[in-house]
Amino acid sequence: MSLLSIVSPAVMQRATRILSRDQAIFLLVTVNALMLGLETYLAHLISQTIRTNEWIPIVLGPVTGVVLLLAFGLRKRYRMVSATLAVVALSTNIVVGMLGTYFHLQRAILPAAPFGQATSLARLVWSPPVIAPLAFVLVGLFGLVAYMEEKPQDSGCLWLSRGVCVRLPLSKTRIYFLLTCLGVLLAAVSSVMDHVRTDFSNGWLWVPTLLGVFGTVVTLLLGLINRPTHSDLITYTVTMVMLLLVGPLGVFLHVMSDLNAQHVVVVEQFIRGAPVLAPLVFSNMALFGLLVLLPSADA
């Protein structure tokens, strides 16, 4: 039975006529890949000069998006070609995300400093965001799970192609919940790292922090529960809707912060000030979380 049918049977009936859960999540992964290229470009513009290696994630985003669209179109008639394209593209994102995390962390460390002073909380806060590249890792993991078919349903046996099966200890649904949990957690931590620079002087800054923590706990519990109840799913759905609304609210507040006293747009301030697109990470993860409730292909 689909989780969405427990929350809202009427919506479930309409959803089955459009896309399956895995197809919808895979397409959202494709959009995320395209957006990651743009977001990385804007983030690296802060230094005014983009280094050669910093172009890798910038270019990888749109390239991944195009490759995944091609893999999605070929998945029925040319399964092996489609699987190869998807696995290579998504695995590359995971590798680039891990390397990016290492390079960002390296910028926050002073190798020549005395023992115990190589890094500090202040350096972690003001250095390039350490966890930001993990977005590429999350996109890769979501894409790989979405691409593989689970047969039989809720068995944890994910088939990449004929004869290639990855056996996992949890069902695909629970894996989706845990990946959503990881995404919400990364969004919350990233928000805290950005807002701590202002000492949380604005009361609105506590909204994404508290809701991010709550969303992390809720999604984690859904991933750990084998058979969630109706009330569990209602709580989860309401939480995802709240996270969905945090994004536009954050964008509005960031835009207002970036405007000067005369409410005139200064491009330089939008690049170096409060990142306009950053709050949409919460909305993005909420979309992933809501799509998990859709019926799978076999439901």
Side-chain angles (χ1 to χ4, degrees), residues 28-264:
L28 183 56
V29 166
T30 302
V31 173
N32 270 255
L34 293 169
M35 292 301 298
L36 276 178
L38 173 61
E39 292 174 5
T40 306
Y41 174 70
L42 293 175
H44 288 171
L45 272 182
I46 296 176
S47 61
Q48 294 185 332
T49 301
I50 300 179
R51 302 176 182 179
T52 302
N53 61 332
E54 292 177 344
W55 282 104
I56 295 176
I58 295 173
V59 175
L60 180 64
V63 170
T64 299
V66 172
V67 172
L68 292 183
L69 281 176
L70 183 60
F72 185 80
L74 297 175
R75 71 191 187 284
K76 291 184 178 180
R77 296 188 61 182
Y78 303 98
R79 182 68 181 183
M80 284 302 299
V81 175
S82 173
T84 301
L85 291 173
V87 170
V88 170
L90 295 168
S91 299
T92 301
N93 274 262
I94 294 175
V95 172
V96 168
M98 295 176 67
L99 288 175
T101 303
Y102 168 75
F103 288 131
H104 280 210
L105 182 60
Q106 192 179 47
R107 294 279 298 275
I109 296 176
L110 298 174
F115 179 76
Q117 301 179 24
T119 188
S120 64
L121 181 60
R123 286 191 61 83
L124 288 174
V125 169
W126 290 99
S127 65
V130 175
I131 65 173
L134 291 178
F136 285 91
V137 177
L138 193 62
V139 162
L141 292 175
F142 255 115
L144 288 174
V145 174
Y147 185 84
M148 293 186 285
E149 298 180 1
E150 185 181 33
K151 293 182 179 181
Q153 187 181 354
D154 296 331
S155 64
C157 185
L158 305 184
W159 294 86
L160 182 61
S161 61
R162 293 182 180 179
V164 181
C165 174
V166 178
R167 295 187 178 276
L168 299 176
L170 300 175
S171 67
K172 177 182 275 195
T173 298
R174 294 174 68 182
I175 294 171
Y176 276 144
F177 281 134
L178 294 178
L179 287 177
T180 303
C181 171
L182 177 60
V184 175
L185 175 61
L186 291 178
V189 173
S190 179
S191 174
V192 170
M193 297 291 281
D194 285 340
H195 293 160
V196 76
R197 299 177 182 180
T198 66
D199 294 326
F200 284 86
S201 55
N202 188 329
W204 284 104
L205 301 181
W206 287 101
V207 174
T209 302
L210 297 177
L211 191 55
V213 172
F214 182 73
T216 300
V217 173
V218 170
T219 50
L220 175 61
L221 292 177
L222 262 291
L224 297 178
I225 297 174
N226 188 27
R227 295 184 180 278
T229 63
H230 182 267
S231 59
D232 293 333
L233 293 173
I234 291 296
T235 301
Y236 172 83
T237 303
V238 171
T239 303
M240 291 300 104
V241 172
M242 292 172 66
L243 287 172
L244 191 67
L245 297 176
V246 164
L249 174 63
V251 170
F252 171 76
L253 294 175
H254 280 208
V255 168
M256 295 303 296
S257 174
D258 289 338
L259 293 174
N260 62 18
Q262 290 74 37
H263 293 282
V264 177

